[in-house]
Amino acid sequence: MFVCKRTRDLLKMARYKQTSFPEDDASSVGGIHLNEGTGSTGLHIRYHTARATINWRTRSKVEEGLLIVTLILSVIISALLIVIITSKSDKSGCILHIEPHIKANEVPCLNEHCIFAANEILRSIDRRIDPCDDFYAYACNNWIRNNPIPEGKSTWGTFGKLEQMNQLIIRNILEKPLKEYKSEAEKKAKIYYESCLDKEEEMEKLGAKPMVDLLWKIGGWNVTKSGFNIEKWNLAHTLKILQNKYNFNCLFAWAVGEDDKNSSRHAIQIDQGGLTLPTPDYYNNKTEIHRRVLDGYIEYMTKVCVLLGAVESDARRQMEAVIAFESKLANISMPLEERRNEEAMYHPMNLVDLEKIAPFLNWTEHFGDAMLLVNRRITQDEIVIVYAPDFLKKLSAIIIEMEKTIEGKITLNNYLVWQAVRTLTSCLSKPFRDAYKSVRKALMGSDGGEEIWRYCVADTNNVIGFAVGAIFVRQAFHGGSKPEAEQMINEIREAFKENLHNLTWMDRGTRERAIDKANAITDMIGFPDYILNPKELDKKYEDLKIVPNKYFENNIQVAMYNLRTNLEKLDQPVNKTHWGMTPQMVNAYYTPTKNQIVFPAGILQSPFYDTNNPKSLNFGAMGVVMGHELTHAFDDQGREYDKFGNIHRWWDNKSIERFNEKTECIERQYGNYKMNGRTLNGKQTLGENIADNGGLKAAYHAFLKSEATKDADILKLPGLNLTHKQLFFVSFAQVWCSSTTNETSILQMEKDAHAPSPYRVIGTLSNTFEFADAFNCKANSKMNQNKKCVVW
């Protein structure tokens, strides 16, 4: 869950959904953003279905009252029976503690919130499993049995279920008449949503025409009869059209973002990029799954070419050459685990020096052309931040060699245009969208196929998310959650700071500066205030052109709008209160250059957070999310940034050495875990594992110090012979209950900065002394290993 939003990760500024293949997205609360065809934002409520919601609304008030009474009485009776049964026998395999202030014969909490909370936990835990043996299985086995992966999905868990509930809320509003909207921006969201829904009819009529028309505009494609002329072709000219006009991602990634060493200013940032498949491994045929994906990819490319008028045999030959070129890019790309040293990745240089490193392109001219959109002049003295100079140097050598032959030039253009074509296939007729299913099946174990309205809600969120967020907040977010969430964050921050005094490996000066940084972390909760002001919201989207029934054209306009909006930031000061995530997202993030943590309204809901729940459940779920994001400020990457969000050496060298020793333990621990016959990458997941471990510890100690304010905080939950200390850990673990296809599991292990869900629970808790004490786990049991890795 919970990911740092790092400046480099925002280089993929193109709005395009890139539905063909998953893209990096560092705004995630958890896990990789695997593309389910919806733009889904999380992995992962244990709640009412849409059908139940609709049926409920059809009942009369009398019926509703009778049903409530009947439901509560039946649940109370069931709960009391469970209490009687479980008091006689407990099969959990460990001794369960009773808090000193709770009498053995005391009646449990029987209000409706306690009953429902207990019911959800009972439906998830597996009493046959010893919690000291495998706590993930203990907490989640029955959840997994009761929640099979839905048709069309490749992964399913708590996050996804809550997101689907949010989608239903948004759908109900987006389908209301235009007159009920409070701003023009919200009306644009509705129009875009309807253009997406209409694609089933409009796009079928148009077929390939929108893409064919675009091919003529961008200079044609050798694969089809669309105006390509090799005698007039020029790489720099084609790149200007594709990147600087239409905002397609190809060859390399670039955007305007915050300067890591001077976070108050923006700078042009350049990084490696250009791959279509998720990781370089997919081009190297390392495993059977990699081979199936690569075979599916060539089939997909060929089908799309034929749909655009190509001859199949010729299209296959030319697309195989494109794959061979992408394989070269894969071979010169730096693996994710080798890109964790932020300071080592940071290379400021002027454009003259960049042209010496990578002379395949006149960089001053290229960026100057882009900046014409915002009337900004670029000179050779412009300082840019390069994160992958070695990649650009090798890329330049490859391109210069290919430009020596006609066949090489044709392949380069075919590759560039393919990036535009595959990006927009989801905006075309059904045959284009179906062409992707086979490769998606190979890549993720599912060929998609969810309801069209869900796809369109998620897509509208991606396109005009803050307008949708205004709709969502008015409908679903309860303001009372905000002050209580702020109090919880402050309590967790205090617990984190207090623990710093217990760390013998950190010198006094570094500790004091770390406390200063923790105090300086700003938190933003719920939503940005401006979205509820129609004038301010309209101003944000005033340059975005959305028209009815033109889904393909709307996507073009969105990409161009996002490019222009990004470029406008170059000479603007950094807005430290800017939201990088929309309010409806079931997610959270930390931004090191802003030293800021953000918790959108979308995640401040049950099962993560409910003001009526016992604090043990709230701190175990949402509290750990908060602690996780806060700890990101002190993980192996976040610790390089000071309290102002600038990279520099603010730690004592001895403390750095000892910190690295501690993190090496974490890296080795997670690197020894295996799943589906594969070893996890402990280095790639290091930052998230540090945040998981530190966040859990801070949240737990904050919970212990929090004041009990209601019966639910004191009395046991019905049917659960668990103390509130134990409930904290159960609540934490059940956040990660999920199911995933084998293919998606492998993709996650290769691409994701997070460990798979089971090991986010097992790895973290096995390092936690407090967990072992709460469940009375014997020394050196599986969940209480003698060797523990502790950083914070």
Side-chain angles (χ1 to χ4, degrees):
M1 202 161 132
F2 345 138
V3 171
C4 300
K5 177 195 285 270
R6 303 200 179 278
T7 318
R8 268 200 321 282
D9 296 315
L10 297 179
L11 289 173
K12 284 169 280 304
M13 56 177 267
R15 206 298 305 164
Y16 285 120
K17 299 176 290 300
Q18 304 280 10
T19 55
S20 296
F21 298 94
E23 294 256 340
D24 285 329
D25 189 332
S27 300
S28 168
V29 153
I32 191 171
H33 280 212
L34 299 171
N35 192 324
E36 298 284 4
T38 65
S40 176
T41 59
L43 291 181
H44 326 339
I45 174 159
R46 326 165 198 162
Y47 257 175
H48 319 292
T49 63
R51 181 188 299 272
T53 303
I54 293 168
N55 287 345
W56 178 258
R57 289 173 180 166
T58 65
R59 299 185 186 278
S60 69
K61 294 295 182 183
V62 174
E63 289 176 308
E64 291 176 9
L66 289 172
L67 279 171
I68 290 172
V69 172
T70 303
L71 175 62
I72 292 175
L73 286 174
S74 63
V75 174
I76 289 173
I77 292 169
S78 299
L80 290 173
L81 286 172
I82 295 171
V83 172
I84 294 168
I85 294 168
T86 55
S87 66
K88 294 181 178 178
S89 172
D90 184 276
K91 301 179 182 178
S92 65
C94 68
I95 299 172
L96 301 181
H97 292 228
I98 297 177
E99 301 282 15
H101 58 269
I102 297 178
K103 298 177 181 178
N105 61 350
E106 190 170 4
V107 175
C109 174
L110 291 177
N111 67 46
E112 61 179 304
H113 300 288
C114 290
I115 291 170
F116 279 113
N119 182 57
E120 293 303 320
I121 293 171
L122 285 166
R123 285 171 52 81
S124 298
I125 61 175
D126 186 347
R127 293 179 180 274
R128 299 170 301 175
I129 304 295
D130 183 344
C132 297
D133 186 49
D134 183 343
F135 198 76
Y136 181 80
Y138 168 77
C140 294
N141 271 1
N142 282 340
W143 189 98
I144 293 169
R145 292 189 190 102
N146 294 328
N147 292 272
I149 301 175
E151 185 70 27
K153 292 285 185 182
S154 62
T155 187
W156 187 241
T158 312
F159 289 85
K161 293 188 76 174
L162 180 52
E163 184 181 72
Q164 289 215 339
M165 292 295 296
N166 289 349
Q167 286 180 344
L168 186 61
I169 292 169
I170 294 167
R171 177 200 187 185
N172 290 338
I173 302 170
L174 286 175
E175 294 183 355
K176 290 183 177 180
L178 274 174
K179 64 182 181 181
E180 296 191 27
Y181 291 83
K182 295 185 179 294
S183 67
E184 291 302 313
E186 292 170 32
K187 291 178 183 178
K188 287 180 181 180
K190 177 180 174 60
I191 293 169
Y192 182 86
Y193 172 72
E194 290 181 338
S195 77
C196 177
L197 287 176
D198 188 55
K199 72 179 182 179
E200 289 292 307
E201 298 179 10
E202 182 71 16
M203 286 297 152
E204 297 313 311
K205 296 176 186 175
L206 294 173
K209 187 178 186 304
M211 182 63 75
V212 172
D213 291 346
L214 181 65
L215 289 177
W216 282 91
K217 291 177 183 178
I218 62 179
W221 203 18
N222 192 65
V223 188
T224 64
K225 296 178 180 179
S226 50
F228 178 72
N229 186 339
I230 189 62
E231 299 299 327
K232 297 181 179 180
W233 183 80
N234 176 272
L235 174 67
H237 177 69
T238 302
L239 267 180
K240 285 177 184 176
I241 294 173
L242 294 175
Q243 285 194 340
N244 299 347
K245 181 176 181 180
Y246 292 107
N247 197 12
F248 291 110
N249 177 31
C250 40
L251 287 183
F252 56 89
W254 79 274
V256 173
E258 296 147 22
D259 188 335
D260 292 299
K261 290 200 172 184
N262 183 2
S263 61
S264 63
R265 68 179 288 268
H266 290 100
I268 294 173
Q269 302 169 322
I270 309 165
D271 205 350
Q272 66 184 31
L275 298 181
T276 306
L277 296 176
T279 69
D281 286 344
Y282 285 90
Y283 293 92
N284 298 326
N285 280 322
K286 283 190 173 182
T287 67
E288 179 60 33
I289 286 181
H290 292 140
R291 284 190 287 275
R292 288 204 304 267
V293 170
L294 200 58
D295 289 344
Y297 182 27
I298 185 61
E299 290 299 323
Y300 164 58
M301 298 171 83
T302 304
K303 286 178 183 178
V304 170
C305 292
V306 171
L307 289 169
L308 290 171
V311 175
E312 182 174 354
S313 58
D314 185 50
R316 183 179 296 274
R317 177 184 61 81
Q318 294 194 57
M319 290 300 98
E320 285 175 346
V322 169
I323 291 177
F325 173 69
E326 286 195 32
S327 296
K328 293 179 180 178
L329 298 184
N331 290 333
I332 63 173
S333 298
M334 184 182 291
L336 292 176
E337 66 268 20
E338 295 179 19
R339 292 166 56 84
R340 298 203 58 81
N341 188 327
E342 298 281 355
E343 190 165 16
M345 296 287 294
Y346 181 92
H347 299 280
M349 62 183 72
N350 60 35
L351 291 175
V352 174
D353 291 334
L354 178 57
E355 286 170 15
K356 292 176 183 176
I357 292 174
F360 77 94
L361 190 63
N362 184 323
W363 295 91
T364 305
E365 187 179 292
H366 185 73
F367 291 134
D369 175 74
M371 290 299 167
L372 291 174
L373 282 172
V374 293
N375 298 315
R376 167 61 150 83
R377 185 169 174 265
I378 291 287
T379 70
Q380 288 185 329
D381 296 324
E382 184 81 28
I383 299 296
V384 298
I385 313 300
V386 179
Y387 293 107
D390 192 52
F391 171 86
L392 293 176
K393 182 179 180 179
K394 292 175 180 177
L395 173 65
S396 187
I398 291 170
I399 289 176
I400 290 171
E401 186 64 27
M402 292 179 70
E403 286 185 310
K404 292 178 181 179
T405 66
I406 291 177
E407 194 64 34
K409 291 179 180 179
I410 290 173
T411 298
L412 282 172
N413 187 67
N414 283 344
Y415 160 80
L416 293 172
V417 176
W418 168 245
Q419 300 311 307
V421 170
R422 63 102 176 176
T423 296
L424 289 166
T425 52
S426 65
C427 305
L428 295 171
S429 59
K430 190 173 184 296
F432 285 93
R433 301 194 301 275
D434 287 346
Y436 172 58
K437 287 186 176 181
S438 60
V439 65
R440 188 190 186 283
K441 178 76 171 178
L443 185 66
M444 302 172 72
S446 166
D447 62 7
E450 67 180 341
E451 298 163 287
I452 185 66
W453 72 264
R454 286 198 182 276
Y455 173 93
C456 292
V457 165
D459 189 37
T460 308
N461 281 338
N462 292 338
V463 168
I464 190 166
F466 286 99
V468 176
I471 296 169
F472 175 80
V473 165
R474 286 198 303 269
Q475 182 74 17
F477 186 59
H478 305 293
S481 298
K482 188 168 183 175
E484 293 195 23
E486 288 174 340
Q487 180 180 342
M488 183 184 289
I489 290 171
N490 288 330
E491 290 171 353
I492 292 167
R493 189 199 319 264
E494 289 304 311
F496 182 87
K497 286 159 44 183
E498 185 174 321
N499 182 61
L500 292 178
H501 293 286
N502 300 325
L503 304 178
T504 57
W505 58 265
M506 178 177 272
D507 74 282
R508 181 177 177 181
T510 303
R511 179 184 295 111
E512 289 175 352
R513 290 188 290 275
I515 290 172
D516 286 344
K517 180 176 182 179
N519 285 329
I521 295 173
T522 58
D523 55 81
M524 300 197 300
I525 297 172
F527 59 93
D529 292 338
Y530 80 86
I531 67 171
L532 297 185
N533 184 320
K535 289 184 179 179
E536 291 188 36
L537 187 60
D538 286 343
K539 185 177 180 180
K540 176 179 177 63
Y541 292 109
E542 63 183 347
D543 294 329
L544 176 59
K545 305 293 188 294
I546 301 293
V547 295
N549 306 319
K550 298 292 181 183
Y551 186 60
F552 188 93
E553 288 80 359
N554 285 340
N555 274 267
I556 296 290
Q557 289 299 317
V558 167
M560 296 168 71
Y561 162 81
N562 281 345
L563 174 61
R564 186 168 57 253
T565 300
N566 180 257
L567 298 182
E568 286 172 347
K569 297 192 301 185
L570 186 56
D571 294 319
Q572 297 176 0
V574 172
N575 179 359
K576 295 282 187 176
T577 63
H578 172 77
W579 278 67
M581 188 175 285
T582 58
Q584 61 274 25
M585 296 276 275
V586 183
N587 218 321
Y589 67 92
Y590 168 74
T591 307
T593 50
K594 293 186 175 77
N595 197 25
Q596 172 196 86
I597 49 180
V598 179
F599 305 99
I603 198 171
L604 291 171
Q605 303 179 81
S606 183
F608 294 94
Y609 186 78
D610 187 327
T611 56
N612 295 302
N613 271 349
K615 287 193 173 184
S616 54
L617 301 187
N618 282 340
F619 273 90
M622 193 65 216
V624 176
V625 174
M626 292 172 174
H628 174 105
E629 298 307 338
L630 188 147
T631 308
H632 265 312
F634 303 93
D635 69 16
D636 64 311
Q637 293 176 301
R639 70 149 198 88
E640 297 183 78
Y641 296 80
D642 65 15
K643 67 179 181 179
F644 301 109
N646 299 320
I647 288 180
H648 75 88
R649 287 237 167 183
W650 58 280
W651 282 43
D652 174 82
N653 286 336
K654 284 290 185 183
S655 290
I656 294 175
E657 289 178 15
R658 297 180 191 123
F659 173 83
N660 289 337
E661 290 172 3
K662 297 286 185 181
T663 61
E664 285 171 7
C665 181
I666 295 276
E667 183 181 329
R668 286 193 302 271
Q669 175 195 0
Y670 285 83
N672 285 326
Y673 291 136
K674 290 187 176 181
M675 186 175 240
N676 294 337
R678 289 193 170 208
T679 302
L680 305 191
N681 190 327
K683 188 173 183 179
Q684 180 176 300
T685 60
L686 178 60
E688 297 300 330
N689 296 333
I690 293 171
D692 279 346
N693 281 264
L696 179 90
K697 185 175 181 179
Y700 183 72
H701 285 280
F703 157 64
L704 292 182
K705 286 195 170 185
S706 66
E707 183 181 352
T709 58
K710 50 188 178 292
D711 285 349
D713 296 328
I714 301 171
L715 303 179
K716 285 187 175 182
L717 292 184
L720 290 166
N721 192 23
L722 296 172
T723 69
H724 280 285
K725 289 180 180 179
Q726 293 169 330
L727 285 172
F728 172 93
F729 294 112
V730 170
S731 180
F732 158 70
Q734 290 186 346
V735 162
W736 294 112
C737 296
S738 60
S739 299
T740 306
T741 63
N742 289 339
E743 293 84 352
T744 295
S745 291
I746 290 171
L747 176 57
Q748 287 178 325
M749 284 187 277
E750 292 186 350
K751 185 180 175 68
D752 197 0
H754 306 78
S757 292
Y759 292 107
R760 298 192 73 169
V761 175
I762 294 169
T764 303
L765 295 184
S766 63
N767 287 330
T768 306
F769 293 98
E770 296 85 348
F771 165 78
D773 289 341
F775 280 89
N776 197 31
C777 295
K778 293 179 181 179
N780 217 30
S781 58
K782 290 184 179 179
M783 293 299 303
N784 186 24
Q785 296 289 309
N786 291 340
K787 171 67 174 177
K788 296 188 187 299
C789 298
V790 179
V791 181
W792 299 108

